[in-house]
Amino acid sequence: MSGVKMLSEFITETQDDFPFATGELTRLLNDIVIASKIVNREVNKAGLADILGATTQENIQGETQQKLDVFADEQFIAALKNGGEACGIASEEVDEYLSFDSPRSQNGKYIVAFDPLDGSSNIDVNVSIGTIFSIYRRVSEVGTLATEADYLQKGDHQVAAGYVIYGSSTMLVYTTGNGVNGFTLDPTIGEFCLSHPNLTIPKTGKIYSINEGNLAYCSAAVNNYINYCKEIDASTNRPYSARYIGSMVADLHRNMIKGGIFIYPETTNAPKGKLRLQYECNPMAFLMEQAGGIASTGRKRIMEVEPTELHQRVPTIMGSKEMVEKLLSFYK
Ligand code: AHG
Ligand code: MN
Ligand code: MN
């Protein structure tokens, strides 16, 4: 195994980069890794295991839950509850935040917010999906039940964040505020191995990702920018290429590696956009900024937005620095 760095080793070795390191964050990350391997296993055999398709339930946002949404949610909750390092969780698929009441969990210092499966509409058609997670230190007293204030911290307070992409290969990408590192799952040994050390997003690119079907509902700023993307200008590599998978994790992962911009803006029928601040946008924003990119609502940094409710939505613009700056110039 010479030359291969496994994720578990890497997490332990870099533990001291983290200001309050006592090993708890390391164990918490390892719990998340285990849950993601279980989800990966089920995603890979989904067509065989009667786990495709919709349930008869909806989540609090009125979206029909897919069987795999529910399965993934249960895996992450169980891993974090049993691990004892988290005092509670918030999930896209759970209406309210969930503070764990066992004495061991109440002594946990962290809360985790997650989107157990991102890109649910792609599950049944074998297109990449993902998991997104965000970790905060609790602000309430250790040894008590976690409170709402623990879950409604702004993105700048995150101590770690990451995503797993279940794609043509499975990768886990995370940050603890010292850059971004990516690990690819080697299915023959069941371990994530360091494949993308110190990931940085190119300063510019030629990919724009937006659901163009919504343009009629979008602002003049967004429409003008998309027109700009389509103009012919060899000196700036335009026209750009349109790529939209419909799984935020996959669209952002591609842009992170190749350079590009991802836009899910406010629209006339959804004035706050679609994507959720606490378990989709803040963790992706933390990764983007750590990789040298920008994450904005169009008006301010995403991580500066004060959350007022758990499932709050926020307009989202993320990606290569120069491309996002160009779009922001259309907002002015
Ligand atoms: P989820 O599957 O967790 O509900 O998230 C879906 C999100 C995101 O992944 C994607 O970028 C976006 O919804 C796609 O929305 P549209 O279909 O409106 O373009
Ligand atoms: Mn999602
Ligand atoms: Mn989801």
Side-chain angles (χ1 to χ4, degrees):
M1 290 295 298
S2 66
V4 177
K5 174 73 68 190
M6 289 198 267
L7 176 57
S8 48
E9 290 175 289
F10 184 90
I11 292 174
T12 310
E13 281 172 20
T14 53
Q15 176 175 307
D16 293 340
D17 295 346
F18 182 65
F20 321 93
T22 55
E24 287 150 300
L25 183 67
T26 296
R27 288 194 291 277
L28 181 60
L29 287 167
N30 281 320
D31 294 339
I32 291 173
V33 171
I34 289 167
S36 70
K37 285 183 188 173
I38 295 171
V39 172
N40 177 62
R41 186 190 66 202
E42 293 306 299
V43 166
N44 275 307
K45 64 178 190 197
L48 299 169
D50 190 29
I51 200 160
L52 290 179
T55 65
T56 52
Q57 304 154 42
E58 286 187 350
N59 65 19
I60 193 167
Q61 296 150 84
E63 300 162 342
T64 304
Q65 290 178 312
Q66 304 297 308
K67 289 181 193 167
L68 266 174
D69 281 328
V70 175
F71 177 84
D73 192 46
E74 288 167 356
Q75 293 307 316
F76 282 96
I77 293 174
L80 293 165
K81 199 172 188 174
N82 298 336
E85 312 302 338
C87 55
I89 63 98
S91 162
E92 179 190 345
E93 303 304 338
V94 183
D95 300 359
E96 299 287 337
Y97 58 84
L98 187 63
S99 299
F100 302 141
D101 56 9
S102 76
R104 185 157 164 255
S105 294
Q106 287 194 31
N107 280 321
K109 296 199 182 82
Y110 297 98
I111 71 102
V112 184
F114 55 85
D115 177 354
L117 265 195
D118 174 65
S120 303
S121 66
N122 283 324
I123 294 173
D124 287 359
V125 291
N126 246 323
V127 173
S128 297
I129 49 182
T131 293
I132 311 174
F133 61 90
S134 167
I135 303 177
Y136 292 84
R137 279 174 81 83
R138 68 188 298 174
V139 291
S140 59
E141 203 180 322
V142 173
T144 64
L145 204 61
T147 65
E148 188 174 51
D150 296 314
Y151 302 94
L152 295 185
Q153 300 184 60
K154 61 181 181 182
D156 269 335
H157 293 173
Q158 291 172 101
V159 295
Y163 61 80
V164 183
I165 176 166
Y166 311 100
S168 48
S169 59
T170 295
M171 278 190 72
L172 187 147
V173 176
Y174 85 104
T175 183
T176 54
N178 283 298
V180 179
N181 289 284
F183 300 79
T184 301
L185 184 66
D186 180 341
T188 62
I189 56 171
E191 292 285 350
F192 284 102
C193 301
L194 182 61
S195 52
H196 295 64
N198 293 319
L199 251 180
T200 54
I201 179 167
K203 279 200 168 16
T204 190
K206 52 175 293 157
I207 292 174
Y208 70 97
S209 319
I210 184 171
N211 185 338
E212 283 201 69
N214 291 335
L215 273 183
Y217 302 119
C218 294
S219 63
V222 170
N223 274 281
N224 291 339
Y225 178 73
I226 299 304
N227 288 336
Y228 165 88
C229 293
K230 294 175 176 176
E231 274 167 19
I232 300 172
D233 176 15
S235 70
T236 49
N237 263 323
R238 288 177 292 146
Y240 296 156
S241 290
R243 294 283 185 277
Y244 190 72
I245 296 170
S247 291
M248 180 195 203
V249 168
D251 278 309
L252 282 168
H253 179 70
R254 181 204 53 239
N255 290 5
M256 182 93 93
I257 289 172
K258 294 191 166 182
I261 187 169
F262 172 86
I263 309 164
Y264 210 115
E266 70 272 31
T267 57
T268 45
N269 47 2
K272 290 187 148 188
K274 174 180 183 185
L275 300 172
R276 279 65 49 112
L277 177 62
Q278 288 307 71
Y279 41 80
E280 292 180 317
C281 301
N282 272 330
M284 291 314 236
F286 192 16
L287 289 156
M288 266 297 153
E289 288 195 5
Q290 283 291 317
I294 297 181
S296 170
T297 66
R299 288 168 184 87
K300 54 157 60 166
R301 286 174 61 241
I302 285 177
M303 291 198 287
E304 284 173 9
V305 175
E306 285 289 350
T308 52
E309 49 186 329
L310 200 52
H311 298 285
Q312 167 173 349
R313 298 171 195 265
V314 72
T316 303
I317 302 165
M318 292 189 193
S320 293
K321 185 168 178 293
E322 289 174 10
M323 297 178 85
V324 175
E325 281 169 352
K326 185 72 192 177
L327 169 52
L328 295 180
S329 74
F330 284 87
Y331 274 79
K332 286 183 185 134

